[in-house]
Amino acid sequence: GAVVSQHPSRVICKSGTSVKIECRSLDFQATTMFWYRQFPKQSLMLMATSNEGSKATYEQGVEKDKFLINHASLTLSTLTVTSAHPEDSSFYICSARVIAGNNEQFFGPGTRLTVL
Amino acid sequence: GQQVMQIPQYQHVQEGEDFTTYCNSSTTLSNIQWYKQRPGGHPVFLIQLVKSGEVKKQKRLTFQFGEAKKNSSLHITATQTTDVGTYFCAGGYNFNKFYFGSGTKLNVKP
């Protein structure tokens, strides 16, 4: 199946700093990528929908100035957590949807962010 | 916002017993997908249902989509230890974005 990578897999940062997470579709092109947040033992919460070449669509309650999303190419989307705070600590996971497919989402392995 | 409810939250079964998880949306869905997430892993796509009343089978797994396209179920017959994990439904809206249910964590005792 299609492979999606995320980098880094784990990151620890100080409060107030910014962290960038990359999501790449390795063997297919994805016009749409999704960013989710997953708290321990909980479900995936959709944060935003990222479309190549256009602005991301954010879900209600998600601050777009805090969670900057860029989808510069058909294989790369980035999520930047700006001025991170301890409450931003979470598991961030992206998914990519193939251009010609059945809407199946392929998930990356996730990034564990810890803000001290 | 859109909500997809899923029950039960946990299910512990003896190997060989059946298992069912249910999802319900407050609004009509365009489609619904099911995913399985193993401990420490990421969600893996199982299936997508699109048509009203659709039923699909994958070996011991049976997926149903309600007539009103607001609810769905996943049934596993004769569970095995390899079925352990959390099963999520993801309700689709306009075939564009998906909202995940809260998941059902399945534990199978050998």
Side-chain angles (χ1 to χ4, degrees):
Chain A
V3 178
V4 175
S5 70
Q6 267 185 255
H7 178 80
S9 57
R10 289 178 181 270
V11 57
I12 300 173
C13 68
K14 292 182 179 180
S15 189
T17 60
S18 295
V19 174
K20 181 187 281 189
I21 302 170
E22 291 186 349
C23 177
R24 291 182 186 272
S25 56
L26 298 185
D27 50 1
F28 67 100
Q29 293 181 324
T31 52
T32 304
M33 290 183 173
F34 302 92
W35 286 95
Y36 295 88
R37 187 171 174 175
Q38 188 173 31
F39 292 99
K41 299 181 181 180
Q42 292 190 29
S43 187
L44 291 85
M45 183 192 79
L46 179 64
M47 298 176 66
T49 303
S50 169
N51 293 297
E52 185 265 337
S54 64
K55 291 183 179 180
T57 304
Y58 290 81
E59 293 301 304
Q60 194 172 13
V62 179
E63 298 177 58
K64 62 180 180 181
D65 294 331
K66 180 163 186 64
F67 298 100
L68 300 178
I69 291 173
N70 184 277
H71 195 154
S73 75
L74 288 172
T75 59
L76 173 65
S77 177
T78 60
L79 167 67
T80 301
V81 183
T82 62
S83 188
H85 290 283
E87 56 265 30
D88 298 325
S89 298
S90 190
F91 190 65
Y92 293 87
I93 190 166
C94 71
S95 71
R97 189 168 64 189
V98 296
I99 295 176
N102 63 353
N103 278 313
E104 176 180 351
Q105 295 182 64
F106 296 95
F107 283 84
T111 297
R112 171 74 58 195
L113 170 63
T114 303
V115 184
L116 302 176
Chain B
Q2 309 295 350
Q3 270 197 319
V4 177
M5 309 300 292
Q6 188 173 356
I7 58 169
Q9 189 174 4
Y10 300 98
Q11 187 80 57
H12 301 272
V13 300
Q14 199 72 37
E15 189 171 24
E17 292 181 339
D18 292 355
F19 159 77
T20 306
T21 173
Y22 302 89
C23 275
N24 188 63
S25 168
S26 54
T27 57
T28 302
L29 302 169
S30 55
N31 54 336
I32 192 160
Q33 297 180 344
W34 285 91
Y35 292 81
K36 178 182 179 180
Q37 185 174 20
R38 292 182 183 274
H42 57 270
V44 174
F45 176 83
L46 295 177
I47 209 161
Q48 173 172 267
L49 304 171
V50 179
K51 299 176 184 175
S52 169
E54 189 169 13
V55 177
K56 286 188 177 180
K57 291 192 175 185
Q58 286 180 351
K59 297 183 180 178
R60 294 178 294 104
L61 278 61
T62 302
F63 305 84
Q64 289 188 315
F65 201 10
E67 293 290 340
K69 298 182 75 172
K70 286 187 175 183
N71 56 73
S72 181
S73 65
L74 157 59
H75 179 81
I76 302 179
T77 305
T79 55
Q80 299 174 359
T81 54
T82 52
D83 295 327
V84 165
T86 301
Y87 293 85
F88 291 101
C89 62
Y93 296 87
N94 298 317
F95 293 98
N96 184 22
K97 58 178 69 174
F98 293 85
Y99 295 94
F100 278 72
S102 50
T104 297
K105 186 174 182 179
L106 172 64
N107 187 35
V108 181
K109 298 177 211 173

